[in-house]
Amino acid sequence: MYCDYHLHSSFSGDSDAPMEKMIQQGIRLGLPAMCFTEHLDPDFPGGDCSFDLDIAAYQKKLLELKETYQDRIQIFFGLELGLQPHLAGELPGIAASAPFDFIIGSTHVADHMDPYDKIFFQGRTEYEAYHRYFEVLLENLNTFSCFNTCGHIDYVVRYGPQKNRNYSYEKYQDILDEILKTLIQKQIGLECNTAGFKYGLGHPNPTEKILARYRELGGEILTLGSDAHAPEHIAYNFRETGEILKACGFRYYTIFKEGQPEFLNL
């Protein structure tokens, strides 16, 4: 079983799962390690869900449980930081505010809208909406360097009008290649996020062709996460995903400890 490096508990605004229940499930599954990456999305657009985070309370609870379960599983302290270009003066300070082992930089918001809310797609074709999302993600990558891996780079596809029915690497190749080349140049990793299977896409985020293209371009830092918000989704479809990554040319994946990468065999 692989380490799961994208997990949320009740410290995230969109989860009510107790952290200890998540850890106990990780132990049952035989995970060697798991990293909590609680949401922090400053200036998130209005709605019923807040993505603020009490970092001190989160760290305190995690350290308590890390000690309790130290003989059974390794627990790491992470963050999923919501990127928006206008937050350039704020996010690096947040990233440096605590001794995070690992930080995911994710684009959840484009043009002050979350694609989860269908308003993002109003007045645009699906192609235009997806392409605009990728443009904003690339702008975020050119703005920030305060994270270790880029989360679910085709997140927008989860919520599109036709989801991934008309979506392909080839259709967005020019901008996707720019994204991948920027990650490689900045030595920021690419996340393979298995929640695409949970959302019924039949593929991880990003898709196999994007993963293979990243490897072809020389990308080596690849992190693996389920994006679980409940115990039953921890390490979701990891066995199949491991085989997918091998078929894409990867022989190892990456975990982070104290911000430093370690490469583990697939």
Side-chain angles (χ1 to χ4, degrees):
M1 181 56 72
Y2 305 119
C3 305
D4 194 335
Y5 258 60
H6 192 150
L7 296 168
H8 300 282
S9 75
S10 57
F11 284 97
S12 290
D14 56 356
S15 173
D16 59 6
M19 185 178 285
E20 188 163 18
K21 296 292 186 184
M22 298 288 282
I23 292 170
Q24 290 169 346
Q25 176 67 358
I27 292 169
R28 280 192 288 270
L29 292 171
L31 269 64
M34 56 199 302
C35 184
F36 287 91
T37 53
E38 306 294 5
H39 282 296
L40 202 172
D41 276 71
D43 197 25
F44 194 81
D48 297 331
C49 190
S50 169
F51 289 104
D52 296 331
L53 175 63
D54 185 338
I55 294 176
Y58 161 41
Q59 182 182 17
K60 181 175 182 292
K61 185 64 174 179
L62 184 140
L63 292 176
E64 289 173 358
L65 293 173
K66 181 173 183 171
E67 183 174 356
T68 299
Y69 291 98
Q70 62 183 325
D71 296 330
R72 304 178 68 184
I73 192 169
Q74 293 186 81
I75 306 296
F76 292 101
F77 179 42
L79 182 70
E80 184 174 12
L81 190 59
L83 307 177
Q84 296 187 65
H86 71 279
L87 299 176
E90 182 176 348
L91 298 190
I94 293 173
S97 68
F100 296 109
D101 288 294
F102 175 61
I103 299 177
I104 302 171
S106 293
T107 299
H108 297 126
V109 174
D111 299 330
H112 303 283
M113 292 176 282
D114 182 351
Y116 178 86
D117 298 317
K118 301 307 180 185
I119 189 173
F120 178 73
F121 297 95
Q122 293 178 7
R124 320 182 204 227
T125 66
E126 185 179 75
Y127 175 85
E128 289 170 342
Y130 287 4
H131 201 279
R132 176 58 186 155
Y133 174 85
F134 291 133
E135 289 171 356
V136 174
L137 190 152
L138 182 58
E139 185 179 356
N140 282 328
L141 293 181
N142 286 324
T143 301
F144 299 103
S145 300
C146 56
F147 54 96
N148 304 112
T149 199
C150 187
H152 45 52
I153 67 169
D154 48 10
Y155 165 86
V156 66
V157 176
R158 294 181 184 175
Y159 307 111
Q162 300 296 322
K163 293 195 172 182
N164 62 347
R165 185 178 302 174
N166 304 310
Y167 170 67
S168 67
Y169 160 69
E170 290 82 4
K171 188 174 286 189
Y172 303 90
Q173 180 174 354
D174 288 350
I175 193 160
L176 285 171
D177 277 359
E178 282 302 305
I179 288 168
L180 298 177
K181 289 174 183 177
T182 301
L183 290 174
I184 293 166
Q185 186 270 325
K186 298 187 77 168
Q187 296 185 305
I188 293 172
L190 175 69
E191 180 191 46
C192 178
N193 183 305
T194 65
F197 294 106
K198 182 184 74 175
Y199 284 96
L201 302 180
H203 304 274
N205 296 114
T207 62
E208 294 86 340
K209 285 192 175 181
I210 297 172
L211 291 164
R213 179 60 171 156
Y214 174 69
R215 185 71 196 96
E216 181 182 22
L217 290 169
E220 297 184 281
I221 303 173
L222 181 84
T223 63
L224 179 61
S226 66
D227 208 348
H229 290 66
E232 59 266 28
H233 296 135
I234 294 173
Y236 197 87
N237 232 45
F238 269 24
R239 187 180 301 277
E240 178 181 340
T241 302
E243 296 307 309
I244 288 171
L245 294 175
K246 291 174 189 175
C248 290
F250 294 95
R251 294 295 172 262
Y252 47 81
Y253 71 111
T254 314
I255 65 171
F256 283 80
K257 299 178 182 179
E258 298 181 349
Q260 298 303 310
E262 294 188 12
F263 298 91
L264 305 180
N265 290 329
L266 285 167

